[in-house]
Amino acid sequence: MPVWFAKSRAISHHLNRKVMGFMGILHQNFWTSSCSRHPSSLSSIFIPAGIHEDHSTPHVFPFNSSITTRFSLQRFKSTKAASQLEQLYSTDDDDHDTSQALDFPGGKVTYIPEMRFLSESNGKRVPCYRVLDDNGEIIIGSDYEQLSEEVAVKIYSNMVSLQMMDTVFYEAQRQGRISFYLTSTGEEAINIASAAALSADDIILPQYREPGILLWRGFTIQEFANQCFGNKYDYGKGRQMPIHYGSKKHNFVTISSPIATQLPQAVGIAYSLKMDKKDSCVVTYTGDGGTSEGDFHAALNFAAVTEAPVVFICRNNGWAISTHISEQFRSTILITSLLPLPVLFSSTRFPLIQLTSDGIVVRGPAYGIRSIRVDGNDALAVYSAIHEAREMAISKQRPVLVEALSYRVGHHSTSDDSTKYRPVDEIDYWKKERNPVKRFRKWVERNGWWSEEKESELRSSIKKQLLQVIQVAEKTEKPPLKYLFSDVYDIPPPNLCEQEKQLRETIYAHPQDYPSDVPL
């Protein structure tokens, strides 16, 4: 028996990855889904954070499983939208006597005579907000923020710049010129479009795959190179490993490697903005792997309770290094096919309960946070959703959770080989067929704002810049040794002074073992 159950678990896991997982190529229709909306505020497609007193029959998301499946999302007033959420906690026969209630510390609670457990799943997946189809055409009925030619061209140009910078810097690491690198390939739209929707006064707490926000805000390619090469012009003074950027000028808090630690910090900063009555918010990013950390849950609860103006953006790209999303999130979906039990129970057949997930967006309402799921490969949808989320966070003084569905085309980092745990054809499919840069280019070209000539000029210019900045950064000397001990204490304690003294003595005694380009 134990052996069979272990095998059945493996079968369930395999089916989840290959059949039910939303990354499966066979189930592309989920990713090609779109939302048909009547003209009204974009805010009405956000999942409500709480339950209102409207007990009308909740609307449902109509689902049509055709070849090119599309989700159609009805538009609701906030009270009607909330009734959807209420469906999770009640049934049609909840006309109970409100006099049979008692005030608990958390509020008044009505008694019921039945023993009723909340369901682990309502059986419906949250639709994905989308504006552009795969051909870069506006989906009919789409509700989105209009972009000017200037902003649209800048978004596209920055996406191309980020893509090319990743390629060249990745190759530089492979040549041994820098020690480490990490790309944003496949997630350029999340980077650049979200940055475009924000104000320069909004404070950013990134994870590590968001260099596009800095690029949008004016951080130069030379500044990126200085950090990766750790020279004397690196703002971190060579103390951080490559890609750990930071800029006080651009309100971009320095990246740190520990996963999800930036999330509760973001809430604290957002609460300070609220106390100071600032007309800005905090935006913090994480990957799907970060939502499995305790800090993610602590941050959402912290933000909900303090009603802090913070926007959580989760890049759900399917992989936390080598951990697939099916191994992180769990909900229940019934598979209609029946599988036989082993010979011991050969006379019995039972339905397999397949465990899969509805991702991150459903976690927001559980903490009392308004949430939305958006196609992370659709720059126009990302821009519109983040623009609305920012306005909501500031005007309503409340947190917002945005789940951006995408795919990590590149390896996790230069320390990873993703072909060891996922098929190459899957990677190629997303790189060629679902490329966010190509999709947005089609839309920009269709508007008459871009041409092949401009494309050639842009790529030629960026390539020239990249080769030049790498040469300059590589030849620039490193920060002085003293910076290894400074900027922590106003007056260094004796033990730190002793460490510096011992290090210098060791270097002088064994100069051949230490880099010659670090000034002593």
Side-chain angles (χ1 to χ4, degrees):
M1 277 295 290
V3 174
W4 179 82
F5 277 116
K7 289 183 178 179
S8 67
R9 182 179 180 184
I11 294 171
S12 174
H13 173 74
H14 175 77
L15 288 174
N16 188 37
R17 289 280 293 272
K18 300 300 181 184
V19 180
M20 303 300 289
F22 72 80
M23 283 298 170
I25 294 178
L26 293 177
H27 282 254
Q28 298 162 11
N29 51 8
F30 173 78
W31 290 85
T32 57
S33 63
S34 61
C35 300
S36 299
R37 293 169 300 279
H38 303 293
S40 64
S41 171
L42 179 62
S43 62
S44 60
I45 70 171
F46 281 73
I47 300 175
I51 298 175
H52 298 267
E53 294 302 316
D54 185 348
H55 295 277
S56 59
T57 303
H59 298 272
V60 296
F61 299 118
F63 179 78
N64 178 16
S65 56
S66 61
I67 296 177
T68 56
T69 302
R70 296 192 175 210
F71 285 98
S72 177
L73 180 59
Q74 301 290 335
R75 308 305 300 270
F76 312 106
K77 294 181 180 178
S78 60
T79 53
K80 289 186 178 180
S83 66
Q84 283 186 337
L85 188 62
E86 189 179 47
Q87 187 182 30
L88 299 177
Y89 305 98
S90 63
T91 59
D92 293 338
D93 61 347
D94 273 351
D95 298 325
H96 301 290
D97 185 0
T98 56
S99 64
Q100 298 297 318
L102 183 67
D103 277 330
F104 283 94
K108 183 173 288 189
V109 179
T110 303
Y111 293 118
I112 59 173
E114 303 91 356
M115 183 188 301
R116 186 182 301 166
F117 289 83
L118 298 179
S119 173
E120 69 277 10
S121 172
N122 69 347
K124 301 181 182 70
R125 302 202 73 171
V126 176
C128 180
Y129 169 59
R130 197 184 200 196
V131 176
L132 297 176
D133 63 18
D134 288 339
N135 292 319
E137 296 187 26
I138 299 289
I139 297 171
I140 297 174
S142 294
D143 177 18
Y144 63 97
E145 291 292 328
Q146 299 293 329
L147 288 181
S148 66
E149 177 180 352
E150 180 183 4
V151 174
V153 170
K154 183 180 178 182
I155 289 176
Y156 177 70
S157 298
N158 275 224
M159 289 171 72
V160 172
S161 298
L162 178 59
Q163 191 179 62
M164 294 186 66
M165 183 177 78
D166 277 346
T167 299
V168 173
F169 282 12
Y170 189 91
E171 291 174 353
Q173 192 281 335
R174 286 296 187 241
Q175 295 168 2
R177 301 167 80 176
I178 57 178
S179 61
F180 178 83
Y181 196 72
L182 183 152
T183 71
S184 303
T185 311
E187 301 174 55
E188 295 91 348
I190 300 175
N191 266 251
I192 305 300
S194 66
L198 303 174
S199 163
D201 293 330
D202 297 330
I203 300 174
I204 307 297
L205 279 84
Q207 185 176 10
Y208 44 60
R209 217 178 290 276
E210 295 85 23
I213 293 128
L214 272 176
L215 188 65
W216 178 269
R217 294 190 170 192
F219 203 74
T220 67
I221 296 179
Q222 184 66 67
E223 289 175 303
F224 282 111
N226 290 340
Q227 195 285 325
C228 288
F229 281 88
N231 62 37
K232 67 178 183 180
Y233 296 119
D234 167 26
Y235 300 127
K237 300 179 180 179
R239 299 175 180 130
Q240 279 274 26
M241 62 191 295
I243 67 91
H244 287 60
Y245 313 109
S247 173
K248 183 177 180 180
K249 174 183 177 182
H250 298 298
N251 284 324
F252 191 94
V253 177
T254 302
I255 294 168
S256 58
S257 289
I259 302 299
T261 55
Q262 73 277 8
L263 302 180
Q265 296 167 4
V267 180
I269 296 173
Y271 189 57
S272 72
L273 294 180
K274 180 175 183 174
M275 293 176 68
D276 292 340
K277 295 179 170 53
K278 298 289 187 180
D279 188 29
S280 58
C281 68
V282 174
V283 180
T284 184
Y285 295 76
T286 188
D288 47 278
T291 66
S292 294
E293 294 286 342
D295 278 345
F296 172 80
H297 298 275
L300 262 61
N301 191 55
F302 185 18
V305 171
T306 59
E307 296 185 324
V310 54
V311 178
F312 297 96
I313 300 178
C314 176
R315 299 174 289 92
N316 187 351
N317 62 24
W319 295 93
I321 308 183
S322 59
T323 302
H324 189 262
I325 54 163
S326 62
E327 298 170 358
Q328 292 195 75
F329 315 135
R330 176 176 177 173
S331 62
T332 307
I333 291 180
L334 184 66
I335 293 183
T336 55
S337 60
L338 301 179
L339 297 183
L341 284 167
V343 177
L344 180 64
F345 301 99
S346 58
S347 61
T348 307
R349 296 173 70 86
F350 78 130
L352 174 68
I353 300 297
Q354 175 63 31
L355 301 177
T356 186
S357 168
D358 202 14
I360 292 95
V361 68
V362 293
R363 301 185 181 191
Y367 285 103
I369 294 178
R370 188 154 293 193
S371 309
I372 188 172
R373 169 175 283 160
V374 60
D375 182 351
N377 287 16
D378 178 353
L380 204 50
V382 172
Y383 176 86
S384 300
I386 301 304
H387 183 276
E388 184 68 28
R390 178 187 183 273
E391 291 299 314
M392 194 178 295
I394 296 174
S395 63
K396 304 293 185 182
Q397 288 293 288
R398 62 167 49 163
V400 181
L401 172 64
V402 179
E403 178 188 16
L405 299 179
S406 186
Y407 186 83
R408 194 197 76 214
V409 172
H411 304 298
H412 174 74
S413 70
T414 49
S415 302
D416 172 52
D417 179 5
S418 63
T419 61
K420 299 295 184 182
Y421 52 81
R422 58 181 184 173
V424 174
D425 58 352
E426 177 182 300
I427 300 172
D428 289 341
Y429 167 76
W430 284 91
K431 183 177 182 179
K432 297 174 183 177
E433 303 298 327
R434 309 303 296 276
N435 191 309
V437 182
K438 290 181 180 178
R439 190 199 298 190
F440 193 65
R441 177 185 173 178
K442 291 177 182 178
W443 181 74
V444 176
E445 285 181 327
R446 191 170 285 110
N447 283 283
W449 299 338
W450 200 250
S451 65
E452 189 61 43
E453 182 181 356
K454 291 180 179 179
E455 181 79 12
S456 179
E457 291 176 358
L458 174 65
R459 290 186 177 274
S460 177
S461 174
I462 296 171
K463 184 177 181 180
K464 186 181 298 184
Q465 288 182 57
L466 284 166
L467 296 178
Q468 182 179 357
V469 300
I470 285 180
Q471 292 178 356
V472 171
E474 195 170 30
K475 294 177 180 178
T476 303
E477 67 179 13
K478 304 299 181 182
L481 186 68
K482 66 179 181 180
Y483 286 151
L484 191 60
F485 303 91
S486 63
D487 297 337
V488 176
Y489 299 97
D490 181 31
I491 300 177
N495 65 316
L496 200 59
C497 294
E498 180 62 24
Q499 289 178 28
E500 182 179 1
K501 178 184 176 183
Q502 290 178 358
L503 177 59
R504 291 183 181 277
E505 289 174 350
T506 303
I507 293 174
Y508 289 135
H510 307 279
Q512 71 279 3
D513 296 328
Y514 291 86
S516 59
D517 58 348
V518 178
L520 299 179

